[in-house]
């Protein structure tokens, strides 16, 4: 185990998104066929905007990369704008002139367990995983109670995650289940980034980084990753112990 040796990048709010996008562009340039899991949610949106701008300037092309979906609600109709596939397409993929390949989680078939097993294969051996941090410490839909050896699977969603679907995006119905790439796959990826912004995340970021790892905060297990980088803005980092 390699707990506690992560890299912490604390950035002013005005530089955070551009810095993360620049790092992402560097990774894509180093490895054009990058296989990467990217998150949805509010946190990464400014990063995606910067990445789209970088592509327009000719600084990067994701055309040879593959984006593997991180998580998805089960039970929302394919055209529901709250779907994670709709978010990642709308926030990034469809905005790029030369989009990457996209591997969705096939949630619309009759057998979500089989879909999860299929996606576990797609999410094996990733080059990079980029994650947001849930207010309850989740990463993807690895909700509290998740374990570091969990593979990609069907999960019951925490109430707070369910509320996010309806409150934030106006999901047509409130899903009770999801499929997520599991912590085992996140921990075996070549590199892992955790993106965290805003004062409201300061407490849970402190829990994730500065307190003993445990299933109440799945993000705390990310410290086992040998190449974890945490990109926090100053507000999110405000409660971390001095380093
Ligand atoms: P947010 O969501 O980026 O919208 O805060 C993060 C998450 O819940 O994983």
């Amino acid at each position: 185990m390699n707990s506690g040796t992560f890299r912490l990048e604390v950035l002013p709010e005005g530089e955070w998104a551009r810095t993360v996008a620049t790092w992402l562009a560097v990774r894509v340039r180093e490895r054009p066929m990058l296989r990467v899991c990217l998150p949805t949610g509010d946190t990464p949106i400014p990063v995606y905007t910067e990445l789209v701008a970088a592509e327009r300037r000719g600084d990067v092309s994701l055309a040879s990369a593959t984006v593997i979906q991180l998580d998805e609600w089960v039970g929302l109709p394919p055209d529901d704008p709250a779907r994670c596939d709709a978010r990642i397409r709308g926030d990034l993929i469809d905005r790029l002139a030369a989009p990457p390949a996209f591997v969705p989680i096939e949630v619309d078939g009759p057998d979500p367990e089989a879909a999860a097993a299929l996606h576990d294969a797609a999410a094996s051996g990733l080059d990079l995983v980029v994650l947001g941090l849930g207010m309850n410490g989740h990463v993807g839909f690895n909700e509290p109670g998740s374990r570091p050896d969990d593979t990609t699977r069907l999960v019951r969603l925490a109430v707070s995650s369910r509320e996010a679907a309806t409150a934030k995006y106006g999901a047509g119905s409130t899903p009770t289940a999801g499929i997520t790439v599991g912590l085992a796959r996140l921990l075996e990826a070549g590199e892992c980034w955790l993106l965290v912004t805003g004062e409201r995340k300061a407490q849970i970021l402190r829990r994730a980084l500065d307190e003993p790892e445990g299933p109440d905060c799945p993000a705390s297990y990310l410290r086992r990753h040998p190449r974890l980088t945490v990109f926090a803005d100053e507000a999110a980092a405000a409660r971390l112990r001095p380093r």
Side-chain angles (χ1 to χ4, degrees), residues 69-130:
Q69 194 175 355
L70 175 63
D71 52 7
E72 186 59 274
W73 314 99
V74 172
L76 292 184
D79 60 350
D80 195 306
R83 289 259 297 230
C84 300
D85 57 358
R87 310 300 309 179
I88 192 74
R89 286 185 203 277
D91 292 338
L92 177 66
I93 292 174
D94 293 349
R95 298 167 68 195
L96 292 165
F102 178 59
V103 180
I105 300 175
E106 302 285 355
V107 280
D108 298 318
D111 187 349
E113 306 260 9
L118 193 68
H119 202 67
D120 194 55
S124 296
L126 295 164
D127 298 311
L128 171 66
V129 292
V130 183

Side-chain angles (χ1 to χ4, degrees), residues 40-44 132-135 138 140 168-169 200-201:
T40 51
D42 292 339
T43 307
L133 176 64
M135 290 294 290
H138 75 198
K168 268 205 231 163
Y169 307 126
R200 72 190 188 102
K201 296 282 178 72

